[in-house]
């Protein structure tokens, strides 16, 4: 199962060591406040398999003042061309499914004026079946949308990218500086927010660039 931790839950050096098997840079939104974004999380995910570029990802997750999520993931190496479509579609499906994950985890409490009979717990199997049905619908929706090729601005310069858009959410893949970027979020926000590549550092912990 994929690990996902906020930088405050594990030593920063331990997280970075999992990602920086080779020197390089990672993506971040250049000026989050300009776009009303707040950095919520920075972490390394994946199991670190050397032969799978998608198994090691440096994630920066932002949230807008309106509650919209934008994520910038840096893969430690570009993906083989035959896997790019799967990576992009999986990212789009994951972004669309995020609210479902939150709903499944959220506890259900009894109304404040209800008799004290303990929490009103719905049947988990029924809730899980609803979740699976919703996930299938999301995946089918994303799979029906054709991928498009275009450009995405990184470090103030356009770079080639592959993208898919479904239900107003965009996921795109671009190769920059020997790494690969996967960016997901609302279409208008992804197209406007400027992404830059910088040395690995902890923004949340106030750490400067690493040599």
């Amino acid at each position: 199962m994929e690990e996902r931790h906020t930088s405050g839950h594990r030593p920063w050096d331990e997280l970075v060591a999992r990602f920086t098997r080779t020197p390089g840079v990672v993506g971040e939104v250049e000026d989050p406040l300009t776009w009303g974004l707040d950095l919520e999380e920075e972490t390394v995910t994946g199991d670190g398999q050397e032969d799978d570029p998608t198994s090691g990802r440096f994630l920066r997750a932002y949230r807008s003042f309106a509650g919209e999520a934008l994520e910038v993931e840096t893969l430690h190496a570009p993906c083989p061309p035959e896997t790019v479509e799967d990576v992009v579609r999986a990212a789009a499906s994951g972004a669309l499914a995020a609210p479902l994950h939150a709903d499944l985890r959220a506890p259900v409490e009894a109304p404040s004026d209800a008799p004290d009979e303990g929490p009103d717990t719905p049947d988990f199997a029924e809730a899980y079946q609803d979740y699976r049905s919703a996930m299938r619908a999301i995946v089918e929706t994303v799979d029906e949308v054709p991928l498009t090729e275009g450009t995405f601005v990184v470090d103030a310069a356009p770079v080639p990218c592959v993208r898919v858009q479904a239900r107003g959410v965009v996921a795109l893949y671009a190769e920059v500086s020997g790494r690969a970027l996967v960016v997901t979020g609302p279409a208008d926000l992804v197209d406007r927010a400027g992404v830059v590549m910088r040395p690995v550092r902890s923004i949340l912990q106030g750490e400067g660039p690493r040599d």
Side-chain angles (χ1 to χ4, degrees):
M1 180 177 292
E2 182 179 84
E3 297 179 27
R4 184 179 176 117
H5 304 272
T6 59
S7 60
H9 291 174
R10 300 182 69 180
W12 178 249
D13 286 345
E14 181 181 345
L15 290 175
V16 171
R18 294 182 56 201
F19 189 79
T20 54
R21 292 184 291 273
T22 57
V25 290
V26 297
E28 63 184 71
V29 175
E30 183 175 23
D31 188 3
L33 291 180
T34 296
W35 311 108
L37 294 170
D38 183 39
L39 178 62
E40 285 194 327
E41 182 180 8
E42 53 185 1
T43 189
V44 177
T45 65
D47 53 19
Q49 296 182 32
E50 295 287 345
D51 58 348
D52 181 3
T54 67
S55 70
R57 303 179 182 223
F58 192 100
L59 167 70
R60 284 200 168 101
Y62 302 83
R63 190 165 297 277
S64 74
F65 299 147
E68 299 171 311
L70 185 145
E71 294 191 352
V72 179
E73 289 184 297
T74 307
L75 280 57
H76 66 79
C79 296
E82 65 272 15
T83 68
V84 169
E85 178 174 352
D86 289 342
V87 170
V88 175
R89 292 193 185 280
S93 296
L96 288 170
L100 298 179
H101 299 158
D103 290 344
L104 193 65
R105 291 192 300 264
V108 178
E109 298 180 357
S112 58
D113 58 350
D116 186 11
E117 298 177 353
D120 181 16
T121 305
D123 182 81
F124 179 79
E126 181 179 345
Y128 184 65
Q129 287 301 321
D130 291 343
Y131 165 80
R132 291 188 62 186
S133 297
M135 279 298 304
R136 282 196 298 270
I138 287 172
V139 172
E140 290 171 359
T141 296
V142 172
D143 285 348
E144 290 173 356
V145 179
L147 264 64
T148 60
E149 296 182 356
T151 58
F152 179 65
V153 177
V154 181
D155 290 329
V159 298
C161 76
V162 177
R163 59 189 283 160
V164 65
Q165 179 172 338
R167 300 184 185 178
V169 169
V170 162
L172 65 84
Y173 171 95
E175 297 180 4
V176 187
S177 303
R179 305 282 204 193
L181 284 178
V182 178
V183 183
T184 58
D188 59 340
L189 192 55
V190 169
D191 289 336
R192 289 184 291 120
V195 172
V196 293
M197 304 298 289
R198 295 289 184 266
V200 178
R201 63 195 177 102
S202 173
I203 298 175
L204 287 178
Q205 294 185 353
E207 180 185 282
R210 301 175 65 91
D211 296 330

